[in-house]
């Protein structure tokens, strides 16, 4: 069975309302004294990651009790289903824990294995990025598009580093050095979901990263594609939210970045 444009739009509107509600929760805790625990050596989780996730998951359970949830802090079974919500209740936890105002809520929706809707809310700038498949990408009420930059030397790029950067064999440091030498500049902001939305809005020309999780990219994937961006693996192969690397830009710049990242030029 397929899903109509109208149904998809209704689901995005619901997700947007939930993302903004969760964003309010995050904003109310920002720069306050809160509990921080550690999932690994440097991978933090604050009490607001958990509060935000509880809020999002309870809203979904109430409205769509048969839908499945895959969420970073462990709610839901995560199994494949007709409808699966893929949720990062707080993307940019290290930023948030330091009072660095770059973080967001990310909620994506998959229908029969395809990401069909995404909303990302940035409470600090009151910016809501949203997209429904085949219906364009928007920042608040304004339609957005990726940049047309085709020259790497003029391109502003973004990337990030996984929490295991100190120990992993494949750690992005070599690729980072290569891109810094070839691009106009490379930023590292601390929220992959926002990096991708800023790319969709033309503020960043290109983005790549290794070892992101499904919830980091699920919602933004739809937003970037609906804004005209191309998303692949670093080697140009098709992307999936479970893939170990991601590369995105407008089609021309993405191709050039792929050549530099894979050492093909
Ligand atoms: C992290 C952010 C960061 C990226 C990390 C992610 P979290 O997510 O998206 O930009 O570089 O790899 O794990 O832990 O803040 O939700
Ligand atoms: Ca994340
Ligand atoms: Ca998170």
């Amino acid at each position: 069975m397929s899903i109509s444009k109208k149904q998809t739009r209704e689901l995005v509107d619901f997700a947007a309302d939930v993302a903004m509600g969760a964003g309010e929760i995050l904003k109310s805790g920002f720069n306050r004294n809160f509990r921080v625990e550690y999932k690994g050596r440097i991978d933090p989780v604050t009490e607001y990651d958990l509060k935000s996730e509880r809020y999002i998951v309870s809203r979904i359970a109430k409205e769509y009790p048969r839908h499945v949830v895959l969420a970073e802090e462990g709610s839901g079974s995560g199994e494949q289903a007709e409808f699966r919500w893929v949720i990062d209740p707080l993307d940019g936890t290290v930023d948030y824990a330091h009072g660095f105002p770059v973080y967001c809520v990310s909620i994506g929706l998959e229908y029969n294995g395809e990401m069909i809707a995404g909303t990302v809310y940035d409470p600090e700038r009151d910016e809501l990025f949203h997209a429904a498949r085949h219906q364009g990408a928007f920042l608040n009420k304004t339609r957005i598009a990726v940049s047309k930059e085709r020259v790497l030397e003029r391109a502003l790029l973004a990337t990030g580093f996984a929490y295991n950067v100190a120990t992993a064999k494949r750690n992005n440091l070599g690729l980072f050095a290569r891109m810094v030498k070839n691009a106009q500049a490379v930023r590292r902001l601390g929220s992959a979901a926002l990096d991708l939305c800023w790319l969709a809005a033309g503020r960043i020309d290109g983005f790549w990263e290794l070892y992101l999780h499904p919830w980091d990219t699920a919602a933004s994937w739809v937003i970037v594609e609906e804004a005209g961006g191309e998303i692949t693996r670093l080697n140009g192969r098709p992307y999936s939210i479970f893939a170990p690397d991601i590369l995105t830009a407008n089609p021309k710049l993405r191709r050039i970045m792929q050549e530099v990242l894979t050492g093909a030029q």
Side-chain angles (χ1 to χ4, degrees):
M1 234 182 60
S2 66
I3 183 165
S4 71
K5 279 191 172 181
K6 186 164 170 272
Q7 277 173 300
T8 313
R9 191 65 246 167
E10 280 166 12
L11 287 156
V12 178
D13 292 344
F14 166 75
D17 191 60
V18 175
M20 287 192 291
E24 285 308 307
I25 293 173
L26 296 183
K27 194 155 185 197
S28 73
F30 189 61
N31 266 329
R32 298 269 164 89
N33 274 334
F34 47 72
R35 241 187 7 261
V36 183
E37 283 168 5
Y38 286 84
K39 296 193 249 182
R41 197 169 63 85
I42 51 173
D43 189 351
V45 56
T46 73
E47 64 181 279
Y48 282 90
D49 294 69
L50 305 176
K51 277 186 183 163
S52 172
E53 182 160 313
R54 272 199 298 273
Y55 169 81
I56 297 166
V57 171
S58 70
R59 290 274 316 261
I60 293 171
K62 204 162 154 207
E63 192 75 20
Y64 300 108
R66 294 163 66 139
H67 289 192
V68 164
V69 159
L70 172 64
E72 177 168 16
E73 307 311 336
S75 308
S77 69
E79 67 200 9
Q80 278 217 312
E82 186 182 31
F83 288 97
R84 177 165 66 175
W85 296 88
V86 187
I87 300 159
D88 195 333
L90 167 47
D91 187 53
T93 296
V94 172
D95 290 351
Y96 187 86
H98 287 265
F100 185 87
V102 180
Y103 63 90
C104 65
V105 179
S106 173
I107 304 178
L109 177 63
E110 195 184 62
Y111 175 69
N112 287 334
E114 189 200 358
M115 292 305 310
I116 57 160
T119 61
V120 171
Y121 183 59
D122 169 356
E124 291 298 321
R125 279 156 279 273
D126 191 23
E127 289 190 335
L128 178 76
F129 298 88
H130 54 106
R133 187 62 76 191
H134 308 308
Q135 298 181 53
F138 295 83
L139 163 50
N140 297 331
K141 291 197 161 79
T142 308
R143 193 147 182 172
I144 51 174
V146 297
S147 88
K148 294 190 170 63
E149 186 55 67
R150 291 165 146 245
V151 179
L152 190 53
E153 274 183 337
R154 304 264 159 73
L156 178 62
L157 309 181
T159 189
F161 299 90
Y163 289 110
N164 67 0
V165 63
T167 51
K169 263 199 183 146
R170 198 171 168 236
N171 59 19
N172 201 22
L173 293 170
L175 299 179
F176 180 72
R178 206 179 293 168
M179 288 313 237
V180 165
K181 288 182 191 163
N182 283 276
Q184 186 172 54
V186 184
R187 303 287 180 248
R188 195 289 188 249
L189 294 168
S191 163
L194 266 192
D195 288 333
L196 288 164
C197 287
W198 287 14
L199 179 132
R203 297 172 182 171
I204 289 170
D205 300 303
F207 172 82
W208 84 96
E209 191 163 342
L210 311 183
Y211 302 128
L212 287 172
H213 297 286
W215 38 81
D216 297 319
T217 60
S220 311
W221 184 6
V222 187
I223 296 167
V224 167
E225 285 191 339
E226 287 298 317
E230 197 170 73
I231 299 195
T232 64
R233 302 270 318 271
L234 291 196
N235 59 12
R237 294 243 169 108
Y239 181 68
S240 116
I241 52 173
F242 297 97
D245 51 53
I246 182 170
L247 167 62
T248 176
N250 68 53
K252 172 77 183 166
L253 186 66
R254 195 210 61 75
R255 181 82 219 168
I256 296 168
M257 288 177 69
Q258 180 186 324
E259 283 168 9
V260 175
L261 288 167
T262 57
Q265 66 90 56

